[in-house]
Amino acid sequence: MRSVIVDCAIYRDGARTEGPADFSDALDEARASGDAFLWIGLHEPTEKEFELVTSEFGLHPLAVEDALCAHQRPKLEVYDDSLFLVLKPVRYDDEAGTVTAGELMVFVGDSFVVTVRHGEANPLGSVRDRLEKMPEVLQHGPTAVMYAVSDAVVDHYLDVADDLHEDLEELETEVFAPNPGAGQNTAGRIYAFKREVMEFRRSAGPLGEPMERLTGAGVPFVHEGSRPFFRDVSDHLTRVNEHVEGLDRLLSDILSAHLAQMGVRQNDDMRKISAWAAMAAVPTMIAGIYGMNFTHMPELRQPWGYPGVIVLMAGVIAVLYRWFKRRGWL
């Protein structure tokens, strides 16, 4: 268990206190005092490693299964002995342009909090440090940890949304540039960006319903004084979801505009090709006529016949060129 336990501590009266090294003894001590709780953090435990935690804390087997599988949507489950909250923190790699989602599970029960994280996109280290400097929040008990973790995840959503918006502005500038570079596969880049926004949306969108539930009454193990804090998290999450919706709509509009631009450019190219083909058809036609092997042809025995035909070709081409130029085909 030592390999998966990131940290384990007892918190009493809003402050961290020293306790037994064994978390079973630490939980007994926290429950015996009545005004303390145990916070244990785990990183990617196996089923065997999690068995002891399950038995000691009395976690529901369905919640344990979800915590071990780590392929869950954000949700809040209420069991007889605990609350189970699933969060999906995200990380944006600006160089690769990819959004990576981790998973973070929070169990809250009688005098304990258990956090289980999967992946690298998790802010728990900084959350614990920041929360230990806020004793007035820690006094709310295990719910304070759930709030702080949710707040950190949602605040990072805002940062990721801002980063995505900056990259989207760069992509938009390239799409609407006067002379976009050839071979950039712009449509493919827009579609890939849209997939990353969708990944972000799958992480942030479903979290709205659990946050709304935590702001209201009737949810067990939630301290009365922590509801305004969850309301603040819910407000921030609403901003994030609105931002993501805007990014998705803007991407769709950019893709539509790009496809329309491609259609316009193709029409321009076809007009130019048609104009040059029309100008090339005139001398081809005249040369083809005079290339036929007939004895009686006009101007065959005239000294000015050959230069006259050349001048006729050049004249017709010049007239066509000027006409196409006026109409904007060239």
Side-chain angles (χ1 to χ4, degrees):
M1 283 298 296
R2 290 292 177 185
S3 60
V4 299
I5 295 178
V6 179
D7 201 351
C8 180
I10 296 176
Y11 294 88
R12 181 181 289 108
D13 294 328
R16 180 170 180 152
T17 61
E18 295 297 328
D22 184 79
F23 70 83
S24 300
D25 297 335
L27 178 61
D28 293 337
E29 179 179 321
R31 284 175 171 171
S33 65
D35 60 348
F37 69 92
L38 174 68
W39 181 4
I40 178 172
L42 306 176
H43 178 244
E44 297 183 354
T46 62
E47 183 177 357
K48 185 176 181 180
E49 292 169 335
F50 206 52
E51 285 180 356
L52 183 58
V53 177
T54 302
S55 60
E56 289 294 331
F57 291 90
L59 305 179
H60 197 279
L62 291 178
V64 171
E65 182 182 354
D66 289 344
L68 292 174
C69 291
H71 293 291
Q72 307 298 318
R73 297 174 72 251
K75 63 180 181 177
L76 176 67
E77 298 286 352
V78 180
Y79 298 102
D80 293 336
D81 299 324
S82 63
L83 284 179
F84 178 57
L85 177 66
V86 179
L87 302 162
K88 292 185 74 69
V90 297
R91 184 180 62 176
Y92 181 56
D93 187 344
D94 190 47
E95 295 294 329
T98 56
V99 174
T100 305
E103 290 207 19
L104 182 56
M105 289 78 171
V106 184
F107 295 88
V108 173
D110 179 21
S111 302
F112 72 84
V113 179
V114 178
T115 54
V116 182
R117 66 183 180 92
H118 296 266
E120 299 299 325
N122 290 285
L124 285 187
S126 59
V127 170
R128 189 182 288 262
D129 294 338
R130 186 171 68 252
L131 194 57
E132 289 176 355
K133 298 175 183 178
M134 304 168 63
E136 69 281 359
V137 178
L138 270 175
Q139 288 179 353
H140 293 161
T143 313
V145 178
M146 181 179 285
Y147 151 71
V149 171
S150 303
D151 185 57
V153 170
V154 172
D155 283 348
H156 192 60
Y157 283 166
L158 290 169
D159 296 335
V160 171
D162 290 338
D163 293 339
L164 285 171
H165 189 76
E166 290 179 4
D167 288 354
L168 181 58
E169 287 180 345
E170 294 178 3
L171 181 60
E172 185 179 16
T173 301
E174 293 179 11
V175 169
F176 293 103
N179 297 309
Q184 291 184 346
N185 191 21
T186 305
R189 293 177 57 200
I190 296 173
Y191 183 73
F193 202 106
K194 196 173 180 66
R195 287 183 61 87
E196 301 307 321
V197 172
M198 185 180 298
E199 179 69 23
F200 187 17
R201 190 176 184 177
R202 282 198 295 260
S203 299
L207 188 57
E209 189 267 340
M211 289 298 106
E212 284 293 329
R213 290 176 62 188
L214 289 170
T215 61
V219 181
F221 305 106
V222 176
H223 192 277
E224 183 72 25
S226 64
R227 286 174 186 153
F229 294 95
F230 283 112
R231 192 174 299 116
D232 181 67
V233 176
S234 181
D235 291 341
H236 290 177
L237 183 60
T238 300
R239 286 175 50 198
V240 170
N241 288 329
E242 289 175 351
H243 201 160
V244 174
E245 289 287 342
L247 289 174
D248 189 60
R249 287 195 300 268
L250 188 56
L251 274 169
S252 298
D253 293 342
I254 291 174
L255 181 58
S256 299
H258 172 66
L259 295 177
Q261 281 184 328
M262 290 183 60
V264 171
R265 293 193 191 106
Q266 288 176 350
N267 288 337
D268 289 340
D269 292 341
M270 288 303 299
R271 285 191 301 179
K272 291 178 182 179
I273 293 172
S274 300
W276 286 111
M279 289 188 290
V282 173
T284 302
M285 179 188 67
I286 297 175
I289 292 174
Y290 279 89
M292 292 186 293
N293 297 319
F294 291 104
T295 303
H296 302 288
M297 295 280 296
E299 292 83 28
L300 284 180
R301 301 186 182 276
Q302 299 295 331
W304 48 267
Y306 179 76
V309 170
I310 297 298
V311 170
L312 176 62
M313 292 180 182
V316 173
I317 292 174
V319 170
L320 288 175
Y321 180 84
R322 187 175 180 182
W323 185 64
F324 289 139
K325 195 73 173 176
R326 283 184 176 179
R327 295 180 61 87
W329 285 36
L330 293 175

